[in-house]
Amino acid sequence: MQEMKIIHENRSSQFFVLSDGVIYQLKWDDSRLTTHIKEIEKEDYEAYLSGKRSSADLMHKAAYGVWPPTKEEKHQSDLEFLKNELQLVHDVSLPNNPKLFEEFPELKSVYEQWLLDK
């Protein structure tokens, strides 16, 4: 096995990509200056290099094993949570966030039906 060498450095995100030609690793220090080294897929590194994924995305994938959710995926997840927790919407969310239906227009009809069924 060849020695791992730095093949890419991102100073703004403060990480290094290392490789021996077969294995790829991401190395970074967290806020406590603890060094982390996680194996990454070559395809993930290439997605970062091509601009399809950001440096934050690559670090998230290295740390957690999955890409971070897109804005649309996050919105859908939040919407599903709100649909499942209509009592929370009624009691807590609407009084504290009157613009909730502007953020989640899909929720309004579900909420109105819930009120009728209540």
Side-chain angles (χ1 to χ4, degrees):
M1 184 166 102
Q2 294 181 352
E3 179 182 339
M4 299 295 277
K5 295 181 182 174
I6 295 173
I7 60 170
H8 181 82
E9 179 179 349
N10 184 312
R11 290 184 188 266
S12 62
S13 295
Q14 301 178 347
F15 70 72
F16 301 93
V17 177
L18 305 119
S19 180
D20 65 359
V22 177
I23 297 171
Y24 290 77
Q25 296 176 334
L26 192 69
K27 178 181 177 182
W28 74 96
D29 292 336
D30 65 19
S31 59
R32 296 173 300 200
L33 300 178
T34 302
T35 300
H36 300 270
I37 301 174
K38 298 284 186 171
E39 196 165 311
I40 59 174
E41 298 294 325
K42 180 181 180 183
E43 294 79 17
D44 296 342
Y45 173 58
E46 290 170 347
Y48 158 73
L49 283 180
S50 71
K52 292 178 183 172
R53 294 292 186 162
S54 70
S55 58
D57 289 347
L58 185 61
M59 291 179 74
H60 188 280
K61 178 81 185 277
Y64 303 107
V66 295
W67 292 113
T70 64
K71 286 182 183 179
E72 179 58 32
E73 290 168 337
K74 175 80 169 97
H75 178 84
Q76 281 303 117
S77 174
D78 290 346
L79 179 61
E80 287 304 313
F81 172 79
L82 291 169
K83 283 180 180 178
N84 291 330
E85 300 295 334
L86 287 173
Q87 189 69 50
L88 178 72
V89 169
H90 181 73
D91 296 345
V92 178
S93 298
L94 280 177
N96 293 321
N97 185 4
K99 295 183 179 183
L100 185 66
F101 293 132
E102 291 175 28
E103 295 174 43
F104 297 96
E106 315 93 317
L107 183 61
K108 189 172 185 175
S109 63
V110 175
Y111 174 72
E112 288 170 343
Q113 184 61 49
W114 178 80
L115 286 175
L116 290 172
D117 295 342
K118 197 173 170 187

